[in-house]
Amino acid sequence: MTLPRSDDLAGRLLGERYELATRLGEGGMGVVYRGHDTMLRRDVAVKVFRDGATEVARTTSETHLLASLNHPALVTLYDAHLGAEEPRYLVMEYVDGPTLDERLRSGPLPRPVVARVAADLAEALHVVHQAGIVHRDVKPANVLLRAPGVAGEEFSAKLADFGIAHLVDATRLTTPGTIIGSAAYLSPEQVTGVDPRPSADIYSLGLVLLEALTGRRAFAQEGLREAVLARLSQDPVVPTEVGREWGALLTAMTARDPADRPTAMAVVDGARRLRSESTTAPTSSSATVGIPGSSATRTAVLPSETAVLPSETA
């Protein structure tokens, strides 16, 4: 059977083992359900793919990618059914918590919490990049939050959804020049349709962390054309309210030239320092920022307040 957007498989048993319950999310490639593994008696997340000739290679690629990665900040793949019999699905670790996108609807996060999220996600990206993979869609909706069970910690973060991931130097699964990703978090090079590199994920993560700190999206253009023009003509505004050290890290991560951005491990180091240091926002409205390991330095007069931006529907 082909799975259109309107189908709801809640209540169905897949593979004589996985009971599907509530729908957790939906995207262009399929629907994710909360499920229950009746054999191992644990909750799972089940991604049921929509079928189409152009998606077969991609769903198989996603399975191989997930199976090859192992890190506490990456969602673990448990099982896969990608044979001729439909529906085709993946069974993954269920994270009992909100997405970062859902959490941010209540407002910005405290700096120590953002530093924890930054360290978790940058470590995950380091593992991903070491495997020769570019995620290509780092955004709040793809960040899952889980209570860490440690006193004084609000949650830890996990990176999910490798549905549009790209293998560096591998055969493309998309047409050259195609823009892939979510408009609000695209890097400048992504909007031109060139082959993505790990530095593109660093840029997107910088935008995610900036939004987590301020509660405002740096690029709120809803249309792809508007997003392209904005990304090629301006840098994200890093307000002084985030503090000098956070400003230095975020400015480097969102440098327009990919060569000027830090590596994932440099971001991990910076985030760990920020967790251990008490930072205060400077009173001056002008700052020069930089980060070790990156040549990015930007001087700008930054506003202390900007308008609240509308949420993304894509």
Side-chain angles (χ1 to χ4, degrees):
M1 76 175 184
T2 298
L3 180 65
R5 287 182 180 269
S6 59
D7 274 6
D8 190 346
L9 300 182
R12 180 166 174 175
L13 182 69
L14 298 184
E16 300 182 352
R17 176 175 176 178
Y18 304 108
E19 293 178 343
L20 300 186
T22 56
R23 184 185 295 220
L24 297 176
E26 182 174 0
M29 292 181 62
V31 180
V32 179
Y33 293 87
R34 179 173 180 170
H36 185 72
D37 183 343
T38 59
M39 180 180 294
L40 297 181
R41 298 182 181 179
R42 64 181 176 185
D43 288 337
V44 293
V46 182
K47 182 173 185 176
V48 182
F49 290 107
R50 293 188 178 86
D51 292 289
T54 61
E55 295 179 349
V56 173
R58 186 176 305 288
T59 55
T60 303
S61 174
E62 178 179 6
T63 305
H64 294 162
L65 293 178
L66 287 171
S68 70
L69 301 173
N70 182 27
H71 188 274
L74 292 171
V75 173
T76 302
L77 176 67
Y78 293 147
D79 195 6
H81 176 82
L82 299 176
E85 183 181 351
E86 301 172 354
R88 298 156 63 238
Y89 57 87
L90 303 180
V91 181
M92 299 168 287
E93 170 187 12
Y94 172 69
V95 179
D96 188 10
T99 65
L100 180 58
D101 182 62
E102 292 168 337
R103 174 61 181 79
L104 288 176
R105 294 171 193 171
S106 300
L109 306 180
R111 293 183 197 175
V113 174
V114 180
R116 168 66 188 263
V117 170
D120 288 343
L121 297 180
E123 279 193 25
L125 285 177
H126 173 69
V127 172
V128 170
H129 296 164
Q130 287 293 105
I133 300 166
V134 182
H135 188 282
R136 293 206 294 179
D137 200 21
V138 179
K139 61 182 179 180
N142 284 339
V143 176
L144 307 179
L145 304 177
R146 163 179 283 170
V150 178
E153 296 284 355
E154 184 174 352
F155 43 62
S156 57
K158 284 179 174 282
L159 183 61
D161 201 344
F162 283 76
I164 62 173
H166 177 92
L167 292 173
V168 177
D169 297 327
T171 301
R172 296 179 64 102
L173 293 179
T174 53
T175 303
T178 301
I179 298 175
I180 299 293
S182 299
Y185 306 96
L186 291 170
S187 66
E189 59 270 25
Q190 280 178 286
V191 302
T192 66
V194 301
D195 282 356
R197 297 291 167 180
S199 52
D201 287 341
I202 299 300
Y203 185 98
S204 299
L205 178 58
L207 295 183
V208 169
L209 299 178
L210 179 58
E211 183 176 344
L213 285 169
T214 65
R216 302 185 292 269
R217 194 165 288 166
F219 295 101
Q221 296 80 11
E222 295 186 2
L224 185 57
R225 182 177 181 276
E226 291 78 9
V228 169
L229 292 175
R231 221 53 48 88
L232 295 178
S233 62
Q234 64 191 73
D235 294 314
V237 173
V238 181
T240 56
E241 67 192 64
V242 304
R244 186 178 297 274
E245 297 302 319
W246 268 112
L249 179 61
L250 295 175
T251 299
M253 293 176 71
T254 57
R256 201 175 306 188
D257 186 344
D260 289 338
R261 299 172 202 153
T263 64
M265 276 310 299
V267 175
V268 172
D269 292 340
R272 287 174 176 168
R273 287 196 302 272
L274 285 164
R275 286 194 73 195
S276 62
E277 296 173 359
S278 176
T279 59
T280 57
T283 56
S284 170
S285 61
S286 177
T288 300
V289 293
I291 181 174
S294 169
S295 60
T297 301
R298 202 154 72 221
T299 301
V301 176
L302 306 175
S304 58
E305 279 299 328
T306 57
V308 177
L309 302 177
S311 60
E312 179 185 1
T313 56

